[in-house]
Each structure stands twice: as structure tokens, then as C-alpha cells.
Amino acid sequence: MTSTHAFWLAGREATGETALDVTSPWDGRLVGQVSVPTEAQIEEAVAAAHAVRDEFAATPAHVRATALDHVSRRLAERTEEIAQLISAENGKPVKWARGEVGRAVSVFRFAAEEARRFNGGEAQRLDTDAGGQGRLALTRRFPKGVVLGIAPFNFPLNLCAHKIAPAIAVGVPIILKPAPATPLSGLIIGELLAETELPVGSWSVLPVPNDQMPALVQDERLPVISFTGSDKVGYAIMDSVPRKHCTLELGGNGAAVVLGDFASEQDLDWAATRIATFSNYQGGQSCISVQRVIADATVYDRLLPKIVAAVEAQVTGDPSDSATDVGPLVSEDAAKRVESWVDEAVQAGAKLLAGGKRDGASYAPTVLTDVPEDTTLACEEVFGPVLTVRKVDGEAEAFAAVNDSKYGLQAGVFTHDVQTAFRAHRALEVGGVIIGDVPSYRADQMPYGGAKQSGVGREGVRYAMDDYTYERVLVLTGLAL
């Protein structure tokens, strides 16, 4: 796989004057080359999207839904090919890459379903007061304007799908920028969209270098920005365009709470296995991977060795091997950063129970306890296969520990008590609370997003559709209600 790939400009293939090498983080081999759009081509894409907005908004629902169904079906047909591509450019173990393709299949299918029922309108009688006699309000949703979708490297197919599928569902033109490290998967979506009959200009997939992004972000013809990535970059974007609508899906340092009632051997085996798996899947490069375990003192001593054993059982190595659980990080620099954070914590007094070793871009699945609260590892999102375990006394202390973070994306609470579940839902300052499992669970149709510095707005197909549109009221007068 070393061919040069065109990008998608206003629905057609195009090439620029330069190319970007895409290399494997596992072995450094060249996976492919991607043509980079020129400034003139970027301008052409923006102008085309801006020009087609009224036409696209008026496109019949069945046209948009048919296109989305087509992409869903074609992704499913090409699952293995695309999974191998994701694994090659991202370093993700192929078994997780297959799951990512399956999720993208669902995202486009969900979007097709939502497109068919979107904007049915809500009627409201206004004659509840005398001044509203004979009046009826009809509320529908209309596009806010062209979307600039900026996707990250860690789910190079599915998080592109979460930008582009809701936009098509509501008839909003979109310019999608895949991550520079992993552009090939996003270009696959363009290839499949080109097989549909969507209006020319309604979508583009442009592998734009990061240093060219400020001009796109500032462009007034792109009033909606949907960004997934780091909190530093996300809030810099929002601060630079305060009058634009920004959806930001940012970082986290996901906590898994194991409470005292989750105490049988079967319970603890389940919790340990789920924690070990989802602190290390994707190499820990997921905003909702398990970074912190907060365990009640009554189960801590039994749970900890189970977690260590389950982490040490994770199979590391070649991501193209279906047996591999944990592959490399996206780059050697990313692995070096993780290494430095772990080393800092150990030097500050943390106990290293497993892992702690780097080999190129790979970092061994790692478990630490007694991590000082002022270390980088305790405060920031590690975005690597590293897990910290902490002992607490009771539910209140556990929930306080979860909230003692600038992030608030999702949390998992292992408990059997439904009242505890509702207390967790009320108390935890996060966008999602997962009961009986890790914070890493996400269904692509549910609302997904965070509190505090984990972001603004929600993804999940229908919720992103709401984010891309606004309510407009039509009042009818003189009706015989």
C-alpha cells in the first residue's frame, strides 16, 4: 500500500502540488502518500459548500437517506480491507480496527434512519392565552450553515463518520479535515460518498496541514465547527471564533469506581478484566479509556492483584496480528511523552506494579499505585496504556475522587445497587455514567460529550444533528383550532 491517494474536492477527486507520507507507527513503513490541497483548492471547496447550502437543505430526505445507506452498506462490504488500512496507518490492533469499521457502518445507518424522520415539526397551540386565539406555532429545525469537521487520529474512520453522517442527514454541507497522521481512512468515506447522488459541493474531504487550519477556522462561510481532539487546541479554536457555534469533544481521564457491594469473585474478575482491556485498547488512545481506578477499601486488596494479572495478560505486538490486544502509540514521540509522565510519577513516590517500559512507539501496559496528586499523570489525560489504582473509604469519597479532575467525560461505576446508580448519576460531574462497566462504553446513537474541560456540545447522530441546526418557529393565524 504505497500509492498516492487523491483527496475529495466538492465531491470529485483532485490532487494538489505536494504529497504527505503516511507511515506505520509499528514498523515505520510507508503505508501511502496523500495529495495535499493547495490554498486555491481549499478556497474552491469552501466556496462550493457555501454556494450549495440552500440546494442541499432542500434535498428530499430520501435522497440523503439513500446516500447514507449506501455508505453504510459499502463500508460493511469492505470491512476487512478498511480494517487493515486503519491498522496500518494508525497502529491499532486489527481486531479493534474491525470493530471500528462496524461502528462506522452503524453510524451511517443510524444517520439514514434519522434523516427519514428528521424535521417532522412540532405543533403548539397558542390559544392558552387570549392573545393567541386562532394561532398555531409550528417549530422546525434548519441548518446553521456549512460545517468544518476536524477529526482526530485515534478513531480515523468512525470519528470522521460522526462528523459527516449527521451533516448529510440534515442537509448541511461539510468540509471534513482528517488527522494528518491518519488521513487514509477518512478518504475512504469520500470514495464511497462519490458513488452517491448528493449535490456537487455538499461535501469535501481535505487532508489540510495543521498550519493551514487557522484560516479555515476563521472563514466566515464556515459558521459551525465540530472538533475532536485535545482541550488545548479545542479551546484555542473556540476562543479565536467566539461568534461561531463550536462543538468540542475533548479529553478525559476516565475513572472506574469499584464499590463495596461489587465484591464477589465473579464481580471482581469481571471488573478487573474490563478495566485491563479498556485501559489498554487502542493503546490507551481513547478519551474514555480507563486511566483511574478508584476502589473501595473493602475490595481493594482483592481487586488490585486481579487487575495487575489481567493487564500483564494483554498481548502486545504487531497490530496486524489478530491475537494482538495492544499495539503501538501513534508515534514514538507520543510514547516518549507517556514514558516521561510515568517516570515523573515513580520518581515522586508512585509504585510501579506492571509495565513502565518503552520500545520505540510501543509502551508496555502499565499499572501504578500511590500516585501523588500533583504529578502530571494524576492531573492530565495520559492517552496511553497506563492505569493508576487508588483506595478510598466509601461511596462519598469515591465520587469526590472522580470529580477531583478538570475533566468530566465519562465515568464507570461497578455496583449492583440501583439507588447508588441514581446517586452516581446525580453526583458525578461527567457527560456519561456507565453502571456495571468501565467508562469506555459508547453506543454511537447515544449522546456523547463531556462537562468541565472535556468539551462543549454532544455527538451521537441525532444529537449532532441538533447541534448543526437551530429551531425556527412558524406562527399560523386565524385558524379554527
Side-chain angles (χ1 to χ4, degrees):
M1 292 186 291
T2 57
S3 59
T4 299
H5 298 258
F7 52 85
W8 296 93
L9 194 168
R12 72 176 194 279
E13 279 190 298
T15 56
E17 298 170 353
T18 61
L20 169 72
D21 287 346
V22 180
T23 58
S24 165
W26 168 246
D27 57 15
R29 67 186 170 89
L30 182 66
V31 178
Q33 290 185 317
V34 172
S35 188
V36 176
T38 65
E39 289 186 10
Q41 289 171 320
I42 295 170
E43 166 59 27
E44 183 181 347
V46 174
H50 186 257
V52 81
R53 27 191 231 297
D54 290 343
E55 177 189 348
F56 195 29
T59 302
H62 72 86
V63 173
R64 289 178 273 116
T66 297
L68 292 161
D69 273 330
H70 173 83
V71 175
S72 177
R73 183 173 59 256
R74 294 285 284 129
L75 286 171
E77 291 170 356
R78 297 174 61 178
T79 292
E80 187 61 25
E81 169 203 347
I82 298 171
Q84 295 290 344
L85 180 64
I86 292 171
S87 182
E89 69 170 343
N90 173 275
K92 179 176 300 192
V94 71
K95 73 175 186 180
W96 293 113
R98 293 183 184 116
E100 180 174 349
V101 179
R103 289 180 61 186
V105 168
S106 296
V107 167
F108 278 95
R109 187 181 73 249
F110 295 150
E113 295 166 357
E114 293 292 348
R116 291 185 171 96
R117 56 178 168 251
F118 175 72
N119 229 349
E122 178 182 344
Q124 181 182 18
R125 292 180 66 137
L126 301 179
D127 60 353
T128 50
D129 286 323
Q133 187 166 335
R135 296 179 186 265
L136 182 76
L138 179 65
T139 303
R140 296 165 62 200
R141 301 192 71 88
F142 294 86
K144 292 174 178 173
V146 182
V147 175
L148 173 60
I150 307 171
F153 71 82
N154 57 327
F155 288 86
L157 180 74
N158 196 42
L159 292 184
C160 286
H162 270 286
K163 306 298 182 191
I164 205 164
I168 293 171
V170 297
V172 176
I174 182 168
I175 294 174
L176 176 70
K177 177 200 174 298
T182 57
L184 299 173
S185 302
L187 291 173
I188 287 283
I189 295 177
E191 181 181 336
L192 303 183
L193 285 172
E195 299 171 352
T196 72
E197 297 180 0
L198 293 174
V200 172
S202 59
W203 60 272
S204 293
V205 182
L206 303 180
V208 179
N210 287 341
D211 60 7
Q212 290 183 267
M213 282 308 298
L216 268 177
V217 167
Q218 292 290 333
D219 197 306
E220 293 183 357
R221 295 167 295 178
L222 306 175
V224 179
I225 298 175
S226 179
F227 171 86
T228 301
S230 72
D231 57 329
K232 179 180 179 180
V233 176
Y235 285 116
I237 289 173
M238 176 177 279
D239 291 344
S240 73
V241 285
R243 290 178 176 82
K244 289 195 177 191
H245 177 88
C246 293
T247 298
L248 305 179
E249 299 299 337
L250 308 178
N253 55 0
V257 176
V258 184
L259 293 176
D261 70 300
F262 212 82
S264 72
E265 291 302 311
Q266 183 178 7
D267 286 342
L268 297 181
D269 286 342
W270 162 258
T273 299
R274 298 293 285 177
I275 288 166
T277 298
F278 289 97
S279 65
N280 294 292
Y281 86 127
Q282 328 287 340
Q285 297 169 122
S286 168
C287 296
I288 46 176
S289 67
V290 185
Q291 181 171 332
R292 300 181 290 156
V293 176
I294 299 164
D296 189 270
T298 60
V299 298
Y300 178 90
D301 290 337
R302 294 162 55 214
L303 176 65
L304 181 58
K306 291 178 183 287
I307 290 174
V308 172
V311 167
E312 291 179 333
Q314 296 287 300
V315 178
T316 61
D318 186 344
S320 66
D321 187 338
S322 294
T324 297
D325 298 313
V326 187
L329 276 70
V330 72
S331 67
E332 186 169 358
D333 284 346
K336 286 179 177 178
R337 178 190 54 77
V338 172
E339 180 182 43
S340 69
W341 288 13
V342 172
D343 289 349
E344 176 201 15
V346 171
Q347 290 167 12
K351 295 178 182 176
L352 182 66
L353 303 185
K357 298 183 184 301
R358 181 180 66 83
D359 181 8
S362 297
Y363 196 80
T366 297
V367 182
L368 303 101
T369 59
D370 301 330
V371 177
E373 294 181 5
D374 60 350
T375 59
T376 308
L377 188 62
C379 302
E380 300 294 337
E381 178 183 34
V382 65
F383 224 59
V386 177
L387 182 66
T388 69
V389 188
R390 172 181 175 181
K391 182 192 298 185
V392 295
D393 290 316
E395 175 189 309
E397 186 176 340
F399 291 173
V402 173
N403 290 339
D404 186 20
S405 171
K406 66 180 181 180
Y407 297 111
L409 192 47
Q410 292 198 160
V413 180
F414 288 89
T415 181
H416 295 295
D417 189 294
V418 69
Q419 296 290 354
T420 301
F422 275 89
R423 286 194 298 271
H425 198 203
R426 182 188 300 267
L428 297 181
E429 298 166 352
V430 295
V433 179
I434 314 301
I435 300 299
D437 206 350
V438 291
S440 317
Y441 176 80
R442 178 184 180 184
D444 292 283
Q445 70 270 41
M446 77 183 197
Y448 176 77
K452 299 190 281 189
Q453 291 189 35
S454 285
V456 178
R458 291 295 181 269
E459 288 196 339
V461 176
R462 182 171 69 81
Y463 304 92
M465 291 166 67
D466 285 347
D467 242 10
Y468 292 168
T469 56
Y470 70 98
E471 294 175 318
R472 186 187 297 166
V473 176
L474 174 71
V475 177
L476 302 175
T477 304
L479 299 180
L481 299 174

